[in-house]
Amino acid sequence: MNVDTRVLIAGAGPTGLTLAVDLGMRGVRCTLIEQKEAPLFLPKMERSNARSMEIYRRMGLADRMRAVALPADWPMDVFIVLKNLVDPPLLHKQYPSVATLKAEIAATHDGTLPLEPYQLISQYTLEPFLKAAAETLPSVSVRFGHELLSFQQDADGVTATVQDLAGKTSEITAGFLVGCDGGASVVRKGLGIKLSGNEDRMLQLRQSLHYCAELFDRIPIGKGRHYHVADNHATQLIVQDSTRHFTLHSIVERDADMVRMFAQTIGLPLKFDTLYVGEWKQNLLLADSYGDGRVFIAGDAAHLVIPTGGLGMNSGVGDAVDLSWKLAAVLEGWGGPKLLPAYTAERRKVGDLNVQASRFATLGRRKWRSMWRPNIRDDTPEGAAARDELVRVADTEQRKSNEMTGAELGYHYFGSPLVWPEDGDGPAYDFVAYTPSTWPGVRLPHAWLNDGAAVQDRVGFDRGFTLLRLGRSQADVSALAKALAAYGAPFRVLDIPDAEPRAIYGRDLILLRPDLHVAWRGNRLPEAPETLAAIVTGH
C-alpha cells in the first residue's frame, strides 16, 4: 500500500503535538490533523509535571518552554480562604518555585528528585509552543482546519476520510493512525472501544476565564497558584501562566453567576473581562483497550481523569513517548510483532494507576470540603470551631492534590512483555512517595555525574537501546550487541565510571529503552543474551 504518510495523528492537543514532535525527531514521516483552525485560548491544563519536563528536556524543549511560561521565581503556593483573597487565609500551603527546586535538585545526590522541576504553563501557551516546534521538523506536516470523519484499516495500512473548513473531503492513507482526539474521540468510537469507570455526577462545574491585569500583583494574602474558597460551591481560582488570566471553577446554576463569583472571590474593586464560561463534568474513565491493529488512541481519548492532581495531560505525554519509539522501531524494521501490542499493556496499566491517583486526590479534596458548615463565617464560638475543623482536615487532605510525586515519577511497566522478568514483585507503588529504583520497567532515576552533568543528559535523545556500564565494570557485553544487531536494533554502550550513579542504580549494567525506562539490569549479561534481545525488541 502506497501511503501519504507513515503515521497520521488526529488531534493537536498536548498529546498529539508531543507525539508529532517525538516522531519527527526520530525521522518518522507523520501528519498531524486538527479540526480547529488554530489553538484555542481556553482554560484547560496549567501544569507540566516533573516527568513531562524531563521528557521535554530530552527533546531539547524544556528551557525554551520555561521561557514562555510562568517565571521561575514565582511560588506555587496553595491557599484556602474563607471568602476572598483579601482576608487572612484559613490555610496557606507553601510550594517552591522552579528556581528553588532547581537549586534543591542540584544539591541532591540520592536519586530521589527528578532532573527537572514542574512548570506552570497554560495549555493556551503550551499548544502553540509545541505546534511551532513540530513545524520546524521536516518530516512532520501540521494541518489545522482538518477534521477526521472516519477511517478504515486493513493489514497494510489505514485510509482516513478528512474534511477541511470549507467542507471539502479527501482521503489520507497512512501506515498507522493515532487518535489523540479527546474524550469524544472519533478514533476510539470507530474502533468500538468502550470507556469503563464512573461518570462523576456529584459535581457539574462551570469554569470561566477572566482577564484582570492588576490582580496578581495586588493579592493581599500573597502570590500563589491555587486559591480554594471554603464554601458549598467548590469554588477555586487558578492562576494562569500570564498572571493576568485566571480560571474560576464553581458549582452555580447559570453562566452569569460566574462573573459574580469571580468578583466575590477576588474581593477587590478591580476591572476585569470575562473571556469564557462553560460547563464540564468530572470523570474517571479508562478505555478498555488502547488500540487495535494499526490504529491506536492516546491522551484523553484513552483516559479521562479529574484534574485534581494534574495527571491528565501529563499521562498523555507519557502515552505519546511510549507509542512513538514503538512506531518508529516497527517502521524502521527492527521492532517485532509484540512491540506495538505492548503499548496497551504498558500504558493502560499506567492509565489505571492515574485514574486511581486522581480519585485519591479528589476524595481528599472532597473530604475537607465536606467540613463546610453554614455558620463557618460566623464570628461565634461555633463558627470558629467549624473553621478550625475544616483547616485540620484540609491540612492533611489537600496534600493529596499537590504532593503526588510517586504518581509522577514512580509509574512502571512491571509485567510488560518488553521488560525482562526479574524475580519478585518489584518496589511498592505509592501515589505520594517516590523511592528511586532500577527494577525493570521503571523510569531511570536522575543521577549526577562527577562533572556536573546528568546521566539522563548523557544518554540524550537516543533512537535505540543504551547499555549503561557503571562503576568501573569491564563486563563483556558483545554478545548482547550481536544479538540486537541481528534484529537491526540501534545499540550503544555508555561507560559511566562515576561512583554516585553506581550507588543509586545498584547494578553494574542497566539496559535502557529509547524512552529511558529500564528494560533489564544485572552485574553481567544473562546466560542467553539473545533472549533478552528478543524480549526488548518485541520478538
Side-chain angles (χ1 to χ4, degrees):
M1 179 180 184
N2 292 323
V3 296
D4 300 315
T5 187
R6 307 298 294 275
V7 181
L8 176 62
I9 305 167
T15 301
L17 286 161
T18 301
L19 176 59
V21 172
D22 202 78
L23 285 171
M25 291 183 66
R26 297 181 191 283
V28 175
R29 185 161 52 93
C30 61
T31 299
L32 174 65
I33 59 172
E34 167 57 53
Q35 62 178 330
K36 300 189 298 290
E37 188 173 8
L40 297 180
F41 196 84
L42 289 177
K44 294 185 178 180
M45 58 73 56
E46 40 78 45
R47 179 177 175 270
S48 182
N49 72 23
R51 178 56 181 147
S52 294
M53 293 307 295
E54 286 184 342
I55 289 168
Y56 289 131
R57 179 179 178 127
R58 293 191 75 210
M59 295 177 178
L61 300 177
D63 288 344
R64 290 158 50 196
M65 186 183 297
R66 293 192 192 279
V68 300
L70 187 78
D73 56 348
W74 290 120
M76 295 282 283
D77 293 5
V78 174
F79 296 82
I80 296 177
V81 302
L82 189 59
K83 58 182 178 180
N84 57 42
L85 308 186
V86 176
D87 298 334
L90 295 175
L91 184 64
H92 177 191
K93 305 294 289 184
Q94 294 182 309
Y95 292 99
S97 68
V98 166
T100 299
L101 276 177
K102 282 193 170 186
E104 185 179 348
I105 289 168
T108 301
H109 294 263
D110 59 5
T112 58
L113 295 183
L115 175 56
E116 286 280 343
Y118 48 57
Q119 176 62 53
L120 196 157
I121 181 167
S122 302
Q123 189 159 335
Y124 60 67
T125 303
L126 180 61
E127 286 184 359
F129 174 85
L130 291 174
K131 177 176 179 288
E135 289 171 337
T136 66
L137 298 167
S139 61
V140 179
S141 173
V142 180
R143 303 181 191 176
F144 274 65
H146 288 75
E147 178 182 4
L148 176 69
L149 299 180
S150 62
F151 64 89
Q152 294 180 328
Q153 67 167 317
D154 57 29
D156 298 319
V158 181
T159 301
T161 301
V162 176
Q163 180 175 278
D164 66 17
L165 292 175
K168 180 182 178 181
T169 60
S170 59
E171 289 188 345
I172 298 176
T173 56
F176 298 94
L177 168 65
V178 184
C180 304
D181 49 345
S185 171
V186 170
V187 176
R188 188 188 67 242
K189 292 175 181 177
L191 290 174
I193 296 175
K194 295 181 180 180
L195 293 171
S196 298
N198 298 316
E199 285 199 26
D200 190 339
R201 296 180 175 84
M202 292 178 65
L203 291 181
Q204 294 281 357
L205 288 110
R206 278 181 171 80
Q207 66 174 351
S208 53
L209 182 66
H210 307 268
Y211 175 81
C212 186
E214 301 176 69
L215 176 58
F216 191 68
D217 292 330
R218 294 181 57 180
I219 297 175
I221 62 175
K223 294 178 172 65
R225 174 191 174 205
H226 290 168
Y227 298 83
H228 300 272
V229 181
D231 63 9
N232 59 336
H233 298 280
T235 303
Q236 178 186 7
L237 184 69
I238 299 172
V239 178
Q240 298 294 336
D241 62 10
S242 69
T243 68
R244 299 294 181 265
H245 294 90
F246 302 84
T247 302
L248 185 75
H249 293 186
S250 193
I251 304 172
V252 295
E253 293 184 0
R254 300 167 301 176
D255 287 356
D257 293 333
M258 294 298 287
V259 178
R260 175 182 56 82
M261 289 296 287
F262 183 75
Q264 179 178 304
T265 299
I266 66 175
L268 295 166
L270 298 176
K271 182 182 182 300
F272 64 87
D273 297 316
T274 298
L275 307 178
Y276 167 84
V277 180
E279 281 190 335
W280 64 285
K281 293 191 300 183
Q282 300 193 53
N283 296 315
L284 291 168
L285 297 168
L286 182 65
D288 293 345
S289 171
Y290 278 23
D292 180 53
R294 290 178 169 269
V295 183
F296 304 91
I297 56 175
D300 285 356
H303 41 74
L304 290 167
V305 302
I306 299 172
T308 310
L311 295 172
M313 165 268 179
N314 293 289
S315 299
V317 171
D319 295 342
V321 297
D322 184 86
L323 182 57
S324 177
W325 78 267
K326 294 177 169 67
L327 286 168
V330 169
L331 289 167
E332 289 170 6
W334 59 265
K338 295 182 180 180
L339 201 63
L340 285 172
Y343 168 65
T344 288
E346 293 186 347
R347 292 306 301 175
R348 191 177 184 278
K349 178 180 288 186
V350 176
D352 185 38
L353 290 173
N354 286 344
V355 166
Q356 294 177 45
S358 179
R359 181 183 293 111
F360 169 79
T362 298
L363 291 177
R365 183 177 296 181
R366 288 183 182 174
K367 185 173 181 178
W368 75 253
R369 283 198 172 277
S370 72
M371 299 297 106
W372 177 86
R373 298 292 182 267
N375 65 349
I376 199 166
R377 295 178 182 174
D378 291 352
D379 187 15
T380 63
E382 293 78 13
R387 293 190 291 275
D388 290 345
E389 181 64 5
L390 184 143
V391 169
R392 183 188 67 80
V393 176
D395 193 33
T396 297
E397 297 298 329
Q398 180 58 32
R399 294 176 186 271
K400 296 177 180 178
S401 297
N402 302 110
E403 301 176 21
M404 290 206 294
T405 306
E408 295 182 11
L409 302 179
Y411 68 86
H412 55 73
Y413 302 139
F414 299 168
S416 166
L418 309 181
V419 170
W420 184 265
E422 192 163 304
D423 292 339
D425 297 327
Y429 174 79
D430 188 290
F431 296 137
V432 177
Y434 168 69
T435 302
S437 170
T438 54
W439 192 278
V442 304
R443 149 201 168 271
L444 182 75
H446 158 55
W448 292 116
L449 298 171
N450 293 347
D451 63 3
V455 173
Q456 288 187 19
D457 288 343
R458 193 60 56 85
V459 175
F461 190 92
D462 201 85
R463 290 174 45 250
F465 295 92
T466 300
L467 184 73
L468 301 183
R469 189 158 53 186
L470 296 151
R472 300 195 176 276
S473 171
Q474 298 296 314
D476 181 7
V477 297
S478 58
L480 179 60
K482 181 179 179 181
L484 287 168
Y487 295 116
F491 173 74
R492 64 169 176 153
V493 178
L494 184 59
D495 284 308
I496 306 286
D498 310 49
E500 191 171 291
R502 175 60 180 80
I504 292 171
Y505 297 157
R507 299 292 190 278
D508 290 342
L509 305 173
I510 306 286
L511 181 63
L512 300 176
R513 312 188 324 178
D515 59 355
L516 216 64
H517 280 255
V518 175
W520 168 86
R521 64 177 180 172
N523 291 329
R524 54 184 174 275
L525 290 183
E527 293 183 2
E530 63 276 6
T531 301
L532 174 57
I535 287 174
V536 299
T537 58
H539 287 87

